[in-house]
């Protein structure tokens, strides 16, 4: 049984999309079968992994609004074992199309649940806005990865998101958990970055990933080439960090599975 992970933060520019396709590619390289679900109308995860949104026959919109099976919309990527349900700008219209449906918060959950038997990990790249699609993503997810930018206002967005997660847990998905907080755009030379990391650890302890994602020009450049950093520059600090994150996530799943088996 696979696991659905939403990558979410109501603050923009914290590395959600970068994490979605780079973590996905590294998990696939580690031998896992991975699906990225691009739930952002900007479709940056789609283009960043080398898939042309305009050339896709089906997108997430078709699954949510027209009832097409998710398996039909899964497109291969440049990495073996890594697939994507692409997004297009028309996903903006899905918010309106779903608004009046009685089951509007659970549509994505029904779309993705059949895929848990086929994929080891399903990663949902959420948009920064807390609209119907993001609520759907959190309701569909088993847990949430929260990227946190190593900058001054980073901790402000966390409290808003934690409140949102509490609401989702109480009303829609009691089993929803926080997978972990991921520090991104980290520069060890800056005292502020180290302070934010220590503050995160002080508040959330083991829920903070040991892996931190550094500021790295290769991470910024690779999406413009339609490649994950693993292919663009596998020796870069960004690529090494996401490989470490993938391995840390896999180890977490193994530990939980062994505890559940006892």
């Amino acid at each position: 049984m696979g696991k659905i992970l939403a990558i979410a933060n109501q603050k923009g520019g914290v590395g959600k999309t970068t994490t979605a396709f780079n973590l996905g590619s590294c998990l696939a390289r580690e031998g896992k079968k991975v699906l990225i679900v691009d739930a952002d109308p900007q479709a940056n995860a789609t283009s960043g992994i080398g898939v042309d949104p305009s050339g896709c026959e089906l997108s997430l919109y078709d699954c949510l609004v027209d009832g097409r099976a998710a398996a039909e919309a899964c497109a291969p990527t440049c990495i073996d074992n890594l697939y994507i349900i692409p997004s297009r700008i028309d996903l903006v219209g899905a918010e309106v199309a779903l608004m009046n449906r009685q089951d509007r918060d659970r549509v994505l959950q029904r779309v993705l649940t059949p895929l848990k038997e086929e994929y080891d990990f399903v990663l949902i790249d959420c948009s920064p806005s807390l609209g119907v699609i993001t609520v759907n993503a959190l309701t569909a997810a088993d847990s949430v990865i929260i990227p946190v930018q190593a900058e001054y206002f980073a901790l402000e967005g966390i409290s808003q998101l934690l409140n949102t997660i509490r609401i989702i847990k109480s009303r829609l998905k009691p089993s929803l958990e926080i997978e972990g907080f991921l520090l991104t755009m980290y520069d060890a030379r800056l005292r502020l970055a180290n302070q934010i990391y220590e503050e995160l650890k002080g508040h959330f302890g083991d829920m903070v990933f040991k892996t931190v994602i550094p500021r790295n020009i290769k991470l910024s450049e690779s999406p413009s080439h339609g490649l994950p950093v693993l292919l663009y520059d596998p020796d870069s600090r960004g690529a090494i960090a996401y490989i470490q994150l993938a391995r840390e996530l896999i180890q977490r799943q193994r530990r939980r599975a062994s505890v559940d088996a006892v």
Side-chain angles (χ1 to χ4, degrees):
M1 177 73 74
K3 185 161 192 177
I4 300 176
L5 296 160
I7 301 173
N9 192 325
Q10 287 168 239
K11 189 176 186 300
V14 298
K16 291 187 295 293
T17 298
T18 299
T19 295
F21 65 76
N22 283 303
L23 174 58
S25 62
C26 291
L27 286 168
R29 184 60 62 91
E30 291 293 310
K32 303 299 181 182
K33 190 174 181 183
V34 183
L35 175 67
I36 297 170
V37 178
D38 191 347
D40 188 339
Q42 294 181 79
N44 289 334
T46 302
S47 59
I49 203 70
V51 176
D52 179 10
S54 64
C56 297
E57 186 176 338
L58 295 176
S59 70
L60 185 60
Y61 177 94
D62 300 290
C63 299
L64 294 176
V65 177
D66 297 332
R68 300 297 291 266
E72 294 181 70
C74 295
T77 70
C78 53
I79 298 272
D80 288 342
N81 279 334
L82 179 63
Y83 299 81
I84 188 166
I85 295 180
S87 177
R88 290 194 299 250
I89 190 62
D90 61 1
L91 189 60
V92 172
E95 297 266 347
V96 178
L98 296 177
M99 191 63 71
N100 293 323
R101 287 181 54 166
Q102 194 169 5
D103 63 342
R104 63 178 177 272
D105 297 327
R106 300 185 183 275
V107 179
L108 185 58
Q109 184 178 38
R110 283 199 298 277
V111 166
L112 296 182
T113 295
L115 299 181
K116 292 181 75 171
E117 297 292 338
E118 188 175 346
Y119 291 90
D120 297 303
F121 291 97
V122 177
L123 306 178
I124 309 174
D125 180 31
C126 299
S127 73
S129 63
L130 184 63
V132 174
I133 304 299
T134 300
V135 171
N136 263 265
L138 293 171
T139 305
D142 298 306
S143 60
V144 188
I145 292 176
I146 304 174
V148 180
Q149 188 177 2
E151 291 192 358
Y152 181 71
F153 291 111
L155 300 178
E156 285 191 358
I158 291 180
S159 61
Q160 296 172 341
L161 181 61
L162 292 179
N163 187 51
T164 299
I165 290 171
R166 277 193 291 270
I167 293 170
I168 299 290
K169 282 175 67 72
S170 65
R171 299 180 183 177
L172 295 166
K173 187 72 175 286
S175 62
L176 181 65
E177 297 178 344
I178 295 173
E179 186 67 36
F181 296 86
L182 174 67
L183 196 64
T184 62
M185 305 178 198
Y186 177 75
D187 187 339
R189 299 169 299 177
L190 300 179
R191 186 172 64 179
L192 177 61
N194 290 293
Q195 286 175 343
I196 290 172
Y197 182 71
E198 291 304 321
E199 207 167 327
L200 269 180
K201 288 289 288 183
H203 275 93
F204 302 109
D206 291 340
M207 293 173 70
V208 180
F209 284 103
K210 293 175 183 175
T211 304
V212 298
I213 308 301
R215 277 198 180 277
N216 181 238
I217 189 65
K218 300 301 181 182
L219 282 175
S220 302
E221 290 175 351
S222 66
S224 65
H225 296 269
L227 294 171
V229 72
L230 188 66
L231 294 184
Y232 181 67
D233 189 343
D235 297 320
S236 66
R237 291 188 305 126
I240 292 167
Y242 274 110
I243 290 168
Q244 290 173 342
L245 178 62
R247 290 173 179 169
E248 184 177 352
L249 183 60
I250 291 168
Q251 286 172 354
R252 284 186 178 208
Q253 303 312 308
R254 286 174 180 160
R255 283 198 299 268
R256 286 177 183 167
S258 63
V259 169
D260 292 343
V262 173

